[in-house]
Amino acid sequence: MAETQGSAFDFKLFRQLLRYTRPYRGTYYFVAFSAVLLAALAVVNPLLLEKAINQSIVPKDSEMLLTYVLLMFGVLLLEVIFQFCFIYFASWLGQEVIRDIRVRLFNKMLSFKMQYYDKAAVGRLVTRAVSDIETISQIFSQGLFTIIADLLKMAVIVGVMLYKSWQLSLLVFAVLPFILYATRIFQKKMKVAFEMVRNEVANLNSFVQERITGMKIVQIFAREDTEFDRFKEINAKHRKGWIKTVWYNSIFFPIAEMSTSVTIGLVTWFGGLRAVENDLLSLGIIVMFIQLIQMLFRPLRQIADKFNTLQMGMVATNRVFKILETESFIADTGTAVAEDIKGRIEFNKVRFSYVQDEEVLKGISFTAEAGQTIAIVGSTGAGKSTVINLLNRFYEIDGGVISIDGTDIKKFTLDSLRGQIAIVLQDVFLFADTILANITLNHPEITIEQVTAAAKEIGVHEFIASLPGGYEYNVKERGVMLSSGQRQLIAFLRAYVSNPSILILDEATSSVDSYSEQLIQDATDKITQGRTSIVIAHRLATIKKADKIIVMDQGKIVESGTHTQLLQQDDGYYRNLYEVQFMAEEEV
């Protein structure tokens, strides 16, 4: 990828990130001011130390020595105060920025169309929204401002050195190009290494998340050993990425430490000779230079270390901003508000493909009159579920028109359109929350009294009331505390309390007990009354009661009519399907 090919720093990306500091300009400028002040204060004590040695220790003036000590203590106190302010407010700024980015990122994820999630790995998205964004905060708390403060400090130190002794300064500067070159190489290598680390972290998160979610399948098919071996392989790649960073650190930091020691040795040797031979350099200047060299080289090592943090933050920023810049949403350009919907649905020559040039729906047309129940049947892959997805505008159609009450659904605002349609999916998803929260989805206008009344109407109140805590019972992640039939009933109630004009049911009762199936059948009868319903039918009872049955095969409507009409067609698709799939059920 481009970001791993040697560019040490992406300034364009960095400017994008800095835009998020605009609401906090006061704090941003205060932190910058603290950095400047700390740079100035850093050289005050070495200068005072030089004066103390030359003007009080060498002449043995104890009163003057006390004065310098008190001055040095005062400067140290100021440094401590502004260091605290610098660290605290830089970290505070970082947390404010990542809060804003995380909110924007999650809001962006909410707007993505389903096609995006069909391809995106959940583990990777979780990594972007959690650990990557947390890494971005370190740009402010441990990277950007620390580097700026260190660079300012180094600039001030160099100025003081040149002012005090250009000869000793030349000795120090003679070593600097070597360590600067080593730092540059180190930065480039770490850029590549950290990109590798972030890749492997995402792979690891994605693998673990998927295996934990699908643990039941892993254990059913006794694949524990196989998955464990795959985990060890991915974990080894993750370790390899981190070992690279450790390797580069292990080379660079000893080189930096050795450079500091060599420079101090040269200054001590040269300065000492000059002081002994001709008194041109004082003892105070030599001691001051030794202290300044450590102060100059220490930021160099820290800058390299902080640059690691900055690089990791920039890699994370790049990943997060790629999601923020992704244009994968349903265009919400409609202005009409879907209200007082009667429920007349029309598909007119609708074409659709998930993958370009591979049509799933091939120009289908049908009409569901207001209040009718339409059953859709057909083999797997015929396009039944796609019809549901398109009616809700989870995907954009390739051609044709879908209309409700004579209005193209694209002319409705997305929120109002989806607010008029309720879906009970075959695979019921429940959040790790209470039954009440899963029914209302925290809608502020739906009360517990309304939920209870609706539950009694469709016959599920008794089941909910029998649970510990009733409506406050926590179903845990994905509703694992409930049976599949109970989850289905919760989904029916969730759809019912939303009071939709159009109801879509993707029925699934193959894995539920007879008691739950009867409750589901009763609930179906209740909630379909008085509203347009589209049912992907898996049960004979629902199909027989439908006002119209649409038979689909390979993306086309091959037959339509009532149950009786379709059975009268000799060698018809529905009749064959009925004889194979449904007749045995009817006999039972």
Side-chain angles (χ1 to χ4, degrees), residues 438-452:
N438 272 288
I439 293 168
T440 65
L441 296 177
N442 298 307
H443 195 297
E445 297 179 7
I446 301 178
T447 65
I448 178 64
E449 289 77 19
Q450 290 174 303
V451 173
T452 304

Side-chain angles (χ1 to χ4, degrees), residues 203-445:
N203 289 336
L204 193 61
N205 283 349
S206 181
F207 182 87
V208 171
Q209 187 270 336
E210 286 183 350
R211 269 56 190 183
I212 290 176
T213 303
M215 189 58 70
K216 188 173 184 180
I217 298 299
V218 172
Q219 293 184 356
I220 285 174
F221 290 95
R223 306 303 292 172
E224 293 94 335
D225 291 342
T226 302
E227 296 301 327
F228 182 62
D229 289 339
R230 291 185 65 191
F231 174 80
K232 287 195 294 184
E233 182 181 338
I234 294 172
N235 196 39
K237 290 180 180 178
H238 177 259
R239 170 188 168 276
K240 183 180 178 181
W242 274 110
I243 289 296
K244 270 196 173 183
T245 69
V246 173
W247 169 251
Y248 295 137
N249 277 303
S250 300
I251 294 174
F252 175 75
F253 286 104
I255 290 174
E257 193 65 39
M258 181 185 69
S259 301
T260 305
S261 300
V262 168
T263 308
I264 291 173
L266 287 173
V267 166
T268 304
W269 169 72
F270 180 78
L273 285 179
R274 297 297 299 273
V276 169
E277 290 174 359
N278 51 28
D279 256 357
L280 290 178
L281 291 175
S282 66
L283 177 62
I285 288 180
I286 295 172
V287 173
M288 182 193 70
F289 257 80
I290 291 173
Q291 190 172 12
L292 289 177
I293 288 167
Q294 292 174 324
M295 293 174 63
L296 179 65
F297 281 61
R298 187 185 309 123
L300 272 178
R301 296 196 300 272
Q302 289 178 344
I303 284 175
D305 191 31
K306 298 306 177 186
F307 201 87
N308 295 347
T309 300
L310 188 59
Q311 293 286 43
M312 287 193 72
M314 293 307 295
V315 169
T317 301
N318 186 41
R319 293 173 178 275
V320 171
F321 280 16
K322 276 184 178 178
I323 297 178
L324 289 174
E325 292 164 4
T326 299
E327 298 298 326
S328 179
F329 55 88
I330 300 296
D332 191 7
T333 55
T335 55
V337 178
E339 55 185 3
D340 299 324
I341 295 294
K342 293 181 174 59
R344 185 179 187 273
I345 300 169
E346 184 178 2
F347 275 58
N348 185 14
K349 299 179 181 178
V350 173
R351 295 184 175 277
F352 174 75
S353 54
Y354 292 103
V355 179
Q356 191 173 2
D357 299 326
E358 295 181 18
E359 280 193 334
V360 177
L361 297 185
K362 302 172 182 178
I364 68 168
S365 299
F366 70 87
T367 301
E369 298 297 339
Q372 278 190 334
T373 295
I374 305 296
I376 302 178
V377 299
S379 60
T380 300
K384 304 186 298 296
S385 296
T386 302
V387 171
I388 292 175
N389 291 330
L390 297 182
L391 185 59
N392 282 272
R393 291 197 69 200
F394 291 146
Y395 299 85
E396 292 281 29
I397 60 177
D398 299 334
V401 177
I402 302 173
S403 60
I404 296 177
D405 290 355
T407 302
D408 187 336
I409 61 173
K410 291 183 179 179
K411 295 181 180 180
F412 292 120
T413 63
L414 276 178
D415 283 349
S416 66
L417 172 66
R418 292 173 180 173
Q420 293 293 322
I421 303 171
I423 306 178
V424 179
L425 294 172
Q426 180 175 347
D427 182 19
V428 177
F429 184 92
L430 298 181
F431 295 96
D433 208 331
T434 64
I435 286 181
L436 179 64
N438 272 288
I439 293 168
T440 65
L441 296 177
N442 298 307
H443 195 297
E445 297 179 7

Side-chain angles (χ1 to χ4, degrees), residues 517 538-545 563-564 567 574-575 577-588:
E517 179 163 358
H538 299 278
R539 295 198 308 267
L540 178 62
T542 304
I543 296 172
K544 292 175 70 173
K545 292 179 181 178
H563 174 69
T564 303
L567 284 182
Y574 178 79
R575 180 170 177 171
L577 181 69
Y578 169 78
E579 290 174 351
V580 172
Q581 183 175 342
F582 298 125
M583 188 174 289
E585 180 185 338
E586 190 173 43
E587 290 174 356
V588 173

